Amino acid sequence: SWSDEQIETAKQIWQQYQKAHDLTDRKGQIVGIDTETGEVWFGEWFTDIVRDRRNKGLVNQLWFERVGYPTALRKGGRR
């Protein structure tokens, strides 16, 4: 579970990253934010990010956002 402090840290890291980088070509991608290192990881799916990090020996917890959207998860399905 995430503490309020960890969530705030993740959101601050993400806000700063967005200000410093053009994310136009990444809209809709998932971003994983490492609150311990300040690193951000991008992928099409949550699992892409987790797999890439595990392959590098990184297993600490990430906060997820979706580039250009207010939430990382999309509710509902195709109709």
Side-chain angles (χ1 to χ4, degrees):
S1 68
W2 287 82
S3 70
D4 290 341
E5 184 179 320
Q6 287 174 304
I7 293 169
E8 186 60 31
T9 299
K11 290 182 177 188
Q12 287 175 359
I13 292 168
W14 181 228
Q15 286 175 352
Q16 291 171 356
Y17 190 91
Q18 290 178 86
K19 289 178 185 176
H21 297 85
D22 178 14
L23 298 171
T24 305
D25 62 333
R26 293 195 180 270
K27 186 171 183 181
Q29 287 187 352
I30 296 294
V31 60
I33 302 155
D34 185 331
T35 58
E36 292 179 28
T37 65
E39 292 179 294
V40 296
W41 298 77
F42 292 94
E44 293 299 320
W45 303 99
F46 298 93
T47 53
D48 296 336
I49 296 169
V50 172
R51 183 186 58 245
D52 290 347
R53 288 175 45 83
R54 280 192 186 146
N55 289 340
K56 292 180 166 100
L58 304 171
V59 294
N60 50 319
Q61 199 172 16
L62 298 177
W63 179 262
F64 291 99
E65 297 278 347
R66 184 175 298 277
V67 179
Y69 293 89
T71 61
L73 295 175
R74 294 180 186 162
K75 187 173 181 178
R78 295 182 185 173
R79 293 180 183 206

